[in-house]
Every structure is written in structure tokens, then in C-alpha cells.
Amino acid sequence: MRIYKNFIGNQFVSAVNDEAIVVRDPATEQLAGQVSAATPEQARAAVDAAAAAQKSWRKLPAVERARHLHKLADALVARAGEIGKALAAESGKSLEDASNEAIYAAEITRYHAEWARRIEGEIIPSDSPSENLLLMREPIGVVACLIPFNYPVYTLLRKIAPALIAGNTVVVRPSNNTPCSAFEIAQAVLDAGLPPGVVNILSMQHEVAASVCTHPKVGMITLTGSVGAGRQVLEYSKTNIAKSSLELGGKTPVIVEADADLELAANEITSSKTTNCGQLCTAVERVYVNRKVAAKLIALLREKFGSRQCGNRADNPAHMGPLINAAARSNTHGMVERAIAAGATLEAGGAIPAGKGFFYPPTLLSNCRQEMEIVQEEVFGPVLCVVEYDSVEQALEMANDHQFGLSSIIYTTDYRTAMQVANNIEAGELYINRIPADPYQGYHAGWKRSGLGGDDGKHGMLEFTQTRLVVMKY
């Protein structure tokens, strides 16, 4: 078990008290690591370091900031094995998947580095003669980055890379479930030679994290997390009227039309629902299937769900790994039990396995109704509910009758149906005949309670900027 220290101003800072955050491997429940819990004084020091560094960082030509990001990407690749080991132990992922996440994080870092010469302002015609209106893009300052547990390496770089290229500096709070990999990334920051204070990473309890988010020098808070966490960030942002960018919960609907390739749909839905044990904001959560093919699709899903085995991915990478902790499993199982009590039919899974580890089998529920909790609330686990429909209009109505609007999917071979859904679905993303993959040149943004602002692409990078209008009379 490795013990980690917080990272402030390019130094690993020793604990000044005995408070620590203990990390356990969710596949074995054994100790995986321990990190110092930052004190309020250390949190303030991190914000001060970031604010001091930002004064010079923002003045660097963007192309110079890009060179630093490319060096960081190189360091991430060089340390992918060490980052992967830490991530695998704290998350239950296979070593291959965890190491690949570090490499993928390096790629999104390179992508945002390439925006160096493309951050543009505007020249706007004035109503007055002999006058120009110049709209400039400027950094915000210090950004607080709140990172989730499910893809903590990728999401950390997904946040800090666009923040840095735009001229901001960051204070990062990783999830207390998966903080160890963040400090392996901190070592990559050192290896890359980024200036002190540009990137600061601290593990914190909630009260200390609140002090960071409400610090007067923090100009923006970016979060990937639950709706509840998003509401809390909005409370924090009221203190300084800090900008908020929130990627929150999802309940991805899949519409499966009668003309769909059912084998393709069943394979991909199963993959989506069992990858990382269903702990993915864009994972398929509810299936709306045309009644004409419902029995066939349910039979395919039942077979595929039943063939997936749970287990420690350190022993067999082909297994589906665990949920992140005991509370997550208890919540998942409780939702399944309530769905069955409300009339859903259990087709596969639905039982907590014996032994160590927070495993839960792929679980399929048919005969679900739109008003059920299992249809309306995010599970964030390997549970899938199926609702039947008679027309695509009815399917659209049910898909849109929801608090969430992050990703959505349709399987059909009719382009007219695909475009009907594309023009009417109430979600930030629609995937046609494939499951979500969050292309980092796109824009990952939610409607309704799925968030404010977004990540990725040009528009995700611009979230980390603010504008200045210069009115020039001549």
C-alpha cells in the first residue's frame, strides 16, 4: 500500500495532522492506498499558489502553453503503467484498461494543446462611424476542478487541459474513492516541468473542498458528478458568483425500432451496461423497444447478460468488475428490489453474490412502466429496464418525459426515423446505431438536470474563457 501526499506549487506536501483518506480496492476490500487529507490552510495555500502562477501563465503565448501540454502528454504516456497500477487498485478496473485510460488522457491533452493558435475573438461592426468593436477571449483565473470516481484519470485531464490552454491555473480535488491515480498524475506534472502552481492536486473532505470552491480567488468551478453534487456547486458559486460548468447525471434512453439490427443492438447495449460495471454517465439505462420485436430483443439481452461473469479483473480482465463501494451496491440492489415489487419482471441477475468485493451481476428488468423509479432515476450500475412501445412518437414522448437529458441512442435502418428522433430528442447527444463514446472533438453537454455548460471540443475549451469587449473610437 502506497501513501500519497498532496501536491501544491510543484511540491508534495506532508500532512500536518493525522487525518488520512483510506482507499480500498472495491474488488477485494483490501487497502489500496492512503492519502493525506488536506487542511484548510493547505487548501488556501493551493489556491494562493494557483493565483500567483496564473499571473505569468496567462501572459505566456498560447503556443508556449501548448508546448507544456505536449510535454505533459508525453509524461502521462511514460507513466501510464504507474498511473494504471494505482487506478486499477482503487477502482477495480483491469490493469490494461486503467493504463489505457492514462494514454487516452494524454490524447485529449494533445487535442486541447492544438487549440493554441485557434482561440479567436471577433470584430463586430459598430453602429457609429470611426469605431471598432473588438471582442476578446480571456482566461477566467483559478479553476476548481472536481473529479468523479468512474474515469478519474481521463476526466482530470479533460478538465485541466482546456483550462490550461486558455490561460487558467487549477486546483484539483479528486474523488475520495479514487485519489491515488491523481497523485501519480501529479508526478507527471513534475516530470513535464510545468511551472509551480499551475496544477495543484489535493485530497479533501467536503468541508475543505467547500472552502476551495468559495475562495475569493476561484473564478470557476467545473464538476463531473451527480445532480446533488451539482446543486452543491451552485450553492458554492453564489459566494463569488463563480462560473460553473456541470456535467451531471444521465439516464440514457435507447429507442429500438422494429427494423433495427437486434443482434447489434443487444451486443452494444450489453457492452454499454457492463463496462465499468455500468458506472458511466452515458451508459444505457432504459430501453424503449418496439412491441413487435420486444420479445426477441429481451431474449437476446437475457442471454448476453446471463453470460457475463463478475469477478476481480486483476485475475481475469474479461470479468465485469465491481461497483465502487458498499453504498453503491446497496443502492443499486434496493432499486432493483423496489422495481420488482412495483411489477417489473426479473429476467437476469438481481442477487448480491457472496464473498468479498462489491460485485453486482448484470441485471435485466422487463415489463417496466414509465412512472417507475427504475425508469425515472439514475442507477449508475449494471441494471437495465425495458419499456415497450407501439410507435416511434410514443417512444420519443417517453424518452423526453424525463428529468435527465445527457445522451440518447436510436437503432433503426430508416433515415427518416433517425432524423425524426434527431430533431426531437431532448438530450445533448444522439448516437445513431451505436453506443456513446464521447468523441473529444465534439461537445459533451447535457440538457435539463444533466448539467450546465459542458466538456470537449471547441465549445468545451471556450467554457474556460470569458470575454472583454473593447470599443475603439478613432
Side-chain angles (χ1 to χ4, degrees), residues 201-270:
I201 304 175
L202 299 87
S203 286
M204 308 173 231
Q205 302 295 3
H206 292 298
E207 297 79 7
V208 179
S211 72
V212 169
C213 293
T214 56
H215 193 291
K217 293 180 182 178
V218 169
M220 179 177 175
I221 310 168
T222 177
L223 162 77
T224 296
S226 67
V227 172
R231 289 194 179 103
Q232 186 60 68
V233 165
L234 290 176
E235 286 296 317
Y236 296 153
S237 69
K238 286 168 27 178
T239 302
N240 301 313
I241 317 299
K243 183 176 182 179
S244 298
S245 181
L246 310 175
E247 195 257 75
L248 306 180
K251 189 74 176 176
T252 299
V254 183
I255 297 173
V256 182
E257 270 284 74
D259 62 357
D261 182 335
L262 296 184
E263 186 70 31
L264 171 69
N267 281 332
E268 292 196 340
I269 290 170
T270 302

Side-chain angles (χ1 to χ4, degrees), residues 292-428:
K292 296 175 183 177
V293 295
K296 184 175 180 180
L297 180 67
I298 290 168
L300 286 168
L301 290 170
R302 185 192 307 120
E303 176 189 359
K304 296 176 190 303
F305 272 43
S307 66
R308 286 302 308 268
Q309 299 295 312
C310 298
N312 189 344
R313 300 191 71 202
D315 299 329
N316 186 345
H319 282 153
M320 186 182 78
L323 290 164
I324 192 64
N325 55 37
R329 183 170 68 175
S330 176
N331 179 67
T332 297
H333 187 58
M335 293 183 75
V336 170
E337 289 186 313
R338 291 191 294 274
I340 295 170
T345 300
L346 181 65
E347 301 281 354
I352 296 177
K356 291 287 187 180
F358 307 120
F359 298 102
Y360 198 79
T363 298
L364 179 64
L365 297 165
S366 64
N367 291 320
C368 295
R369 302 184 307 278
Q370 182 70 7
E371 70 274 11
M372 285 180 173
E373 176 198 37
I374 202 73
V375 178
Q376 293 296 324
E377 299 294 336
E378 185 177 32
V379 179
F380 218 64
V383 178
L384 185 67
C385 58
V386 180
V387 180
E388 299 178 20
Y389 69 84
D390 296 302
S391 68
V392 72
E393 290 78 14
Q394 183 187 16
L396 260 172
E397 182 179 359
M398 289 190 292
N400 290 340
D401 180 24
H402 214 276
Q403 62 178 314
F404 294 119
L406 189 56
S407 289
S408 59
I409 306 167
I410 182 167
Y411 286 93
T412 182
T413 56
D414 187 337
Y415 78 90
R416 298 173 186 84
T417 301
M419 287 310 303
Q420 180 183 359
V421 173
N423 288 334
N424 292 281
I425 195 73
E426 295 175 3

Side-chain angles (χ1 to χ4, degrees), residues 27-142:
T28 64
E29 303 181 43
Q30 299 298 310
L31 290 177
Q34 180 175 304
V35 300
S36 300
T39 63
E41 292 76 18
Q42 288 174 326
R44 286 194 293 271
V47 176
D48 288 341
Q54 202 265 336
K55 293 178 181 179
S56 54
W57 180 254
R58 72 183 297 273
K59 292 181 180 179
L60 281 179
V63 69
E64 292 294 330
R65 296 197 294 266
R67 291 190 180 103
H68 281 291
L69 286 184
H70 280 298
K71 290 179 181 178
L72 177 57
D74 291 342
L76 290 169
V77 172
R79 291 191 59 77
E82 293 303 312
I83 296 169
K85 287 177 185 176
L87 178 57
E90 67 190 357
S91 70
K93 297 182 181 186
S94 71
L95 179 59
E96 180 181 10
D97 283 356
S99 300
N100 284 342
E101 187 174 332
I103 293 170
Y104 195 42
E107 286 304 303
I108 197 170
T109 303
R110 296 190 199 282
Y111 168 81
H112 282 292
E114 293 303 318
W115 277 103
R117 295 184 173 94
R118 297 173 177 84
I119 303 174
E120 300 172 344
E122 301 174 38
I123 300 175
I124 304 168
S126 173
D127 290 345
S128 300
S130 304
E131 185 174 271
N132 290 327
L133 306 181
L134 311 178
L135 189 68
M136 301 178 177
R137 287 278 177 182
E138 297 287 346
I140 292 171
V142 177

